Amino acid sequence: RSLNLPFGKSAVVDLPADVRDVLVTNPAVADAVLRSRRRISVLGVAPGDTDAVFFDDAGKRMLTLDIHVAKDASGLADAIARLLPGSKVRVESVNDTLVLAGEVPSSMDADKARRLAERFVAKPEQVVSLLTVTGKEQVMLRVRVVEMQRTIIKQLGFNLGAVFGQMGGN
C-alpha cells in the first residue's frame, strides 16, 4: 500500500488489525504515530520517500506502507487557476522540483506561470515548464527608417551595393 503526502501535512490511516509497534525507515521524511491500536497518523516531515512497517502483538509484520512526501503544490495550482483564467495548468511535485504541464493561451501566460512557480522553490532551476501554448503567437517588430546622403555614406566607407546585394534587394 502507498501513501502520497504533501510536505507539512498529515494523514490518518486505519489498520485492519491491532498494531503493537511501528518502524519508519527514514524519520527525516515522515513520522508515524500510533493514535490507537488500529489508527495511526502519518506526518510528512520533508520531501522524499520512505516506508513504515507495522507489527502486530506477536511481532509479525502486518503491513508495509510506502510513503512519498512531496511539496504541496495545491496552493500554486490554485493561484495559477485564479490569476491566469483560460489556462489549464497542472502542477506536480517531483522531489524538490515543480513541474508545470498543460495548456496556456499565450507565451506571456506560460512565462507568468513559470515566474509564479519560481516563488515556491529555492532556486529557479527547480521549475520545469512543459506548458503548451494554444493561441497564435504574434511578433512585434520595431523598425527605424533612416535617411542619409550618399556622400556621407561613402565617407564612412559603406558599400550599399554590396549590402543590398547580400540582402537580395537592388
Side-chain angles (χ1 to χ4, degrees):
R1 192 173 155 186
S2 65
L3 175 66
N4 292 322
L5 195 60
F7 164 68
K9 304 283 180 159
S10 64
V12 175
V13 178
D14 291 319
L15 300 168
D18 289 350
V19 174
R20 183 188 63 160
D21 198 12
V22 60
L23 170 69
V24 177
T25 305
N26 188 353
V29 172
D31 188 24
V33 178
L34 295 171
R35 294 291 175 201
S36 71
R37 302 273 297 173
R38 291 191 178 215
R39 180 172 281 184
I40 59 153
S41 294
V42 180
L43 173 66
V45 178
D49 293 305
T50 189
D51 63 349
V53 182
F54 301 94
F55 301 96
D56 62 13
D57 288 331
K60 292 177 121 182
R61 180 181 2 185
M62 61 178 285
L63 175 67
T64 300
L65 186 62
D66 292 321
I67 303 169
H68 175 72
V69 179
K71 290 186 179 212
D72 186 7
S74 63
L76 174 59
D78 292 343
I80 290 173
R82 266 192 336 272
L83 298 172
L84 302 174
S87 299
K88 298 173 186 167
V89 178
R90 295 180 314 280
V91 181
E92 292 187 30
S93 177
V94 179
N95 295 328
D96 287 340
T97 303
L98 291 176
V99 178
L100 305 176
E103 299 176 346
V104 290
S106 70
S107 60
M108 283 181 46
D109 285 344
D111 187 55
K112 288 176 187 176
R114 183 190 48 78
R115 283 187 289 142
L116 187 59
E118 287 174 355
R119 302 289 184 208
F120 283 75
V121 293
K123 300 176 196 166
E125 300 86 37
Q126 292 175 308
V127 175
V128 176
S129 178
L130 303 176
L131 296 172
T132 303
V133 177
T134 58
K136 294 181 180 178
E137 291 296 312
Q138 294 182 359
V139 177
M140 185 158 121
L141 298 176
R142 181 174 284 168
V143 178
R144 180 179 287 176
V145 178
V146 178
E147 186 177 330
M148 292 184 109
Q149 291 180 353
R150 223 172 223 218
T151 56
I152 294 174
I153 293 173
K154 286 182 182 181
Q155 288 175 357
L156 293 174
F158 287 109
N159 183 350
L160 286 180
V163 172
F164 284 125
Q166 287 181 355
M167 291 175 30
N170 291 325

